[in-house]
Amino acid sequence: MDVNGTVAEGFEPVREAFLRNFEVLGERGAAVTVYRDGHRVVDLWGGTKDVDGTAPWEHGTAQIVRSATKGVAAAVLLLLRQRGELDLDAPVGELWPEYKAAGKERTLVGHLLAHRAGVPVLDRPLTVAEAADPDLGAAAVAAQAPVWEPGSAHGYHAQTYSWLVGEVVRRVSGRSVGQWIADEIAGPVGAELWLGLPENETARVGRVGKVEAPDAANGLRTRPKRAVADAYADPDSLTRRAFAAISPTPDENDPVYRAAALPASNGIATADGLARFYASLIGEVDDGVRLFTPETVELARAEQSAGPDRVLVVGTRFGLGYMLHGSASPLLSSTSFGHPGRGGALGFADPESGIAFGYVTNGFHKSVTADPRAQALVRALRGALDA
């Protein structure tokens, strides 16, 4: 396996871990980028562009990053708040009157970001075409009765996060969340990431697919805990229903799906785009743009939800739109905040060390929040910093 790219002195362990992912952990094609204090220190790629192909992964190859999109979308609401255009403590119904229906009138905007809104499921799942229509998606979550009192508990809003966050952005700014990201985040930062893939960028995006996770011979636990396995197997569980809020499961290689803007699930990015985005949250990138003020960084990573997750079953920790370091999603340190994508991608920032990290892959495992390949890279990065 040829690994392409560069690492700065002292970060060689990340390259070694990246290579091992191909040799031992079944990687097909991937890239990883790390920034420190706004400057790139790791930029690696290898394997094939398509999970089922032979064309090589090139510098600038992009992939769908699934729920890692949530962290990018969360920045929109936090930036609107930073600019004085949005109050995260305001009732959602003040911005979106239709949302008051079915006992949701006390839902706060912050509850949407912290997965406390109580609407992780839809009684009638949306088709892929319906899900891509922001009017239909917003109407569906507005009409949905909560499965717990909003604000009283937390559970991962795997799909409904798309329409909850997207509609608030539309009501406040008059723009779609995908357009807002393009205008105010990706453009100014120079980050190669998209929510709603433009037609002129389709050629750089690889095909994704499922790959087998490494077996126990590689020293990794491959069987989930029984309670988790049972939740995913039960079609009536909140777990299954949350992930099935769009049904049937979308074809992630379909150009029509990639052109839709679903901030819960279908952002597309390069590893550099994801890392550069997170670098811009905690400092200036290449001595240029910084998005979050220090106050907003602290707000983003302040714990809002912790403990048993009613959807994911395991214990999770969330700030405002970001997963926090913990057993469900180990990041670099206790100051880290970011978001994984189910079965693969990961992006995060660590204010204490000045690190920003982005990893994308074309092969998805069954893991939800702690992919073994991403975790191998994080451990190597931690070791390099501690050396």
Side-chain angles (χ1 to χ4, degrees):
M1 169 57 61
D2 291 328
V3 169
N4 302 292
T6 59
V7 295
E9 184 178 355
F11 289 89
E12 294 86 357
V14 180
R15 187 185 188 282
E16 294 166 9
F18 187 67
L19 178 59
R20 186 176 182 273
N21 282 352
F22 287 93
E23 296 174 339
V24 179
L25 300 186
E27 191 76 274
R28 302 284 181 84
V32 61
T33 304
V34 179
Y35 282 73
R36 187 173 197 183
D37 298 329
H39 300 284
R40 194 182 296 113
V41 293
V42 174
D43 189 25
L44 299 171
W45 64 94
T48 61
K49 173 184 175 182
D50 300 321
V51 69
D52 53 0
T54 58
W57 188 297
E58 299 176 341
H59 192 249
T61 293
Q63 302 289 354
I64 194 164
V65 296
R66 292 183 168 178
S67 284
T69 316
K70 289 182 172 76
V72 181
V76 178
L77 296 193
L78 288 166
L79 286 168
L80 288 170
R81 185 261 180 197
Q82 182 174 290
R83 297 176 183 186
E85 299 175 34
L86 177 64
D87 181 358
L88 299 181
D89 294 322
V92 175
E94 288 185 0
L95 305 167
W96 178 5
E98 298 90 337
Y99 194 78
K100 296 177 184 178
K104 302 192 300 298
E105 61 276 358
R106 288 192 294 274
T107 306
L108 306 181
V109 176
H111 292 158
L112 309 183
L113 289 173
H115 297 271
R116 304 184 70 82
V119 287
V121 302
L122 294 177
D123 291 337
R124 187 188 76 79
L126 301 181
T127 66
V128 176
E130 290 170 335
D133 184 323
D135 292 325
L136 291 177
V141 292
Q144 178 67 40
V147 295
W148 64 78
E149 176 67 25
S152 67
H154 81 284
Y156 189 53
H157 288 51
Q159 300 284 13
T160 56
Y161 184 98
S162 280
W163 311 297
L164 296 171
V165 170
E167 187 61 14
V168 169
V169 174
R170 285 208 302 169
R171 298 277 173 149
V172 173
S173 72
R175 284 180 279 178
S176 71
V177 63
Q179 191 61 55
W180 209 100
I181 289 169
D183 294 343
E184 308 288 349
I185 294 177
V189 172
E192 295 176 312
L193 56 86
W194 304 269
L195 181 60
L197 185 69
E199 187 174 355
N200 64 344
E201 298 290 356
T202 57
R204 69 157 66 195
V205 184
R207 289 180 56 83
V208 297
K210 295 179 181 178
V211 295
E212 290 298 318
D215 58 29
N218 292 323
L220 295 167
R221 180 172 61 85
T222 59
R223 293 183 180 179
K225 294 180 180 179
R226 179 170 294 277
V228 177
D230 289 348
Y232 279 95
D234 180 2
D236 295 323
S237 70
L238 287 183
T239 309
R240 277 283 293 276
R241 292 173 64 204
F243 283 99
I246 302 175
S247 186
T249 301
D251 175 2
E252 293 170 308
N253 295 312
D254 182 354
V256 176
Y257 178 73
R258 291 176 171 184
L262 294 166
S265 60
N266 80 333
I268 289 173
T270 64
D272 183 74
L274 202 54
R276 192 173 180 88
F277 159 73
Y278 275 103
S280 76
L281 300 187
I282 59 173
E284 292 185 354
V285 179
D286 294 333
D287 301 315
V289 175
R290 173 174 182 158
L291 292 179
F292 281 1
T293 64
E295 178 195 10
T296 302
V297 171
E298 294 308 305
L299 185 66
R301 68 183 194 87
E303 184 180 275
Q304 303 290 326
S305 300
D309 187 300
R310 292 200 177 187
V311 171
L312 296 181
V313 181
V314 299
T316 56
R317 297 179 66 228
F318 288 96
L320 286 170
Y322 297 96
M323 278 194 166
L324 306 179
H325 179 67
S327 58
S329 184
L331 301 175
L332 190 63
S333 79
S334 61
T335 74
S336 301
F337 65 100
H339 217 291
R342 185 180 186 186
L346 176 64
F348 67 82
D350 186 70
E352 184 174 48
S353 63
I355 289 290
F357 175 97
Y359 163 74
V360 301
T361 179
N362 59 24
F364 293 130
H365 289 168
K366 291 182 179 180
S367 57
V368 177
T369 61
D371 182 83
R373 297 159 299 176
Q375 288 303 308
L377 296 169
V378 174
R379 287 193 298 272
L381 177 58
R382 188 182 300 118
L385 294 171
D386 291 342

